[in-house]
Amino acid sequence: MSQTSKEDHYAGAALRHHYDAVYLHDDGRLPNADHHFGFAVECALKSLMLRYTQVTVAPLRSGGQPTTKPYIPQQAGKPRYIEHLPEAWSDTGDVISDATLLLSGRTGGALSAILSASAPFAAWSVHDRYSDGSSVIEADVVARRAASEQILGLHEQALIDGVIT
């Protein structure tokens, strides 16, 4: 029996978080919907990076165990780990700058366009899960839902085509 790949784990988590977010958003539960949309996008981006870039979860040491966090191998020094949103979205962050560079041209135009078109997750933080949720507004959740749908659509098409188009 084959093991499920880390890419597939992230892909499944992206869908699960997105569906939960849609359910919560439709029920008017904005803070948790907002958070799940962020996690959906983060997981989809990590799945894409693991599939189509140099990002890996390979063991850091020969014969070691795979890591639990995706990273970009470095020529010298410590690996650069993939972060949470907004760092994983922003084209000013190291991670996506590398990913958009690797995904540019014929195989990554759609992803590059989505990532650079807007920044719906610029003010989103993984740490907001501890907040009272009073700062979450409908317009932000709507924008993040749309971004989640775009990224998940691109992710699904990449799985079908075998490339990001």
Side-chain angles (χ1 to χ4, degrees):
M1 177 163 53
S2 65
Q3 291 184 320
T4 304
S5 70
K6 194 69 156 179
E7 299 94 309
D8 291 336
H9 282 283
Y10 279 112
L15 289 174
R16 183 180 39 134
H17 283 294
H18 179 78
Y19 293 141
D20 285 350
V22 167
Y23 179 84
L24 292 166
H25 186 215
D26 290 348
D27 195 41
R29 296 163 61 191
L30 299 181
N32 283 348
D34 187 56
H35 215 66
H36 281 282
F37 284 129
F39 281 135
V41 167
E42 183 178 307
C43 290
L45 289 174
K46 287 178 180 179
S47 174
L48 288 169
M49 285 185 234
L50 283 165
R51 292 173 198 279
Y52 300 108
T53 72
Q54 69 197 37
V55 172
T56 186
V57 289
L60 293 171
R61 285 177 257 134
S62 180
Q65 293 293 318
T67 66
T68 59
K69 192 172 181 183
Y71 69 93
I72 299 170
Q74 299 294 304
Q75 295 295 333
K78 295 181 180 181
R80 191 169 66 222
Y81 289 96
I82 305 300
E83 299 298 328
H84 292 290
L85 291 174
E87 292 83 9
W89 178 286
S90 170
D91 62 3
T92 60
D94 291 336
V95 174
I96 291 300
S97 293
D98 290 339
T100 55
L101 178 64
L102 292 166
L103 299 173
S104 63
R106 291 175 44 187
T107 62
L111 179 58
S112 294
I114 291 170
L115 294 176
S116 62
S118 66
F121 292 96
W124 187 93
S125 173
V126 69
H127 302 293
D128 286 345
R129 68 185 180 272
Y130 304 118
S131 75
D132 66 4
S134 62
S135 64
V136 177
I137 59 172
E138 177 75 21
D140 289 342
V141 179
V142 168
R144 291 171 183 153
R145 181 175 182 163
S148 179
E149 289 167 354
Q150 280 187 300
I151 293 290
L152 287 171
L154 179 76
H155 182 271
E156 185 65 26
Q157 194 62 49
L159 294 181
I160 292 167
D161 295 345
V163 296
I164 298 176
T165 56

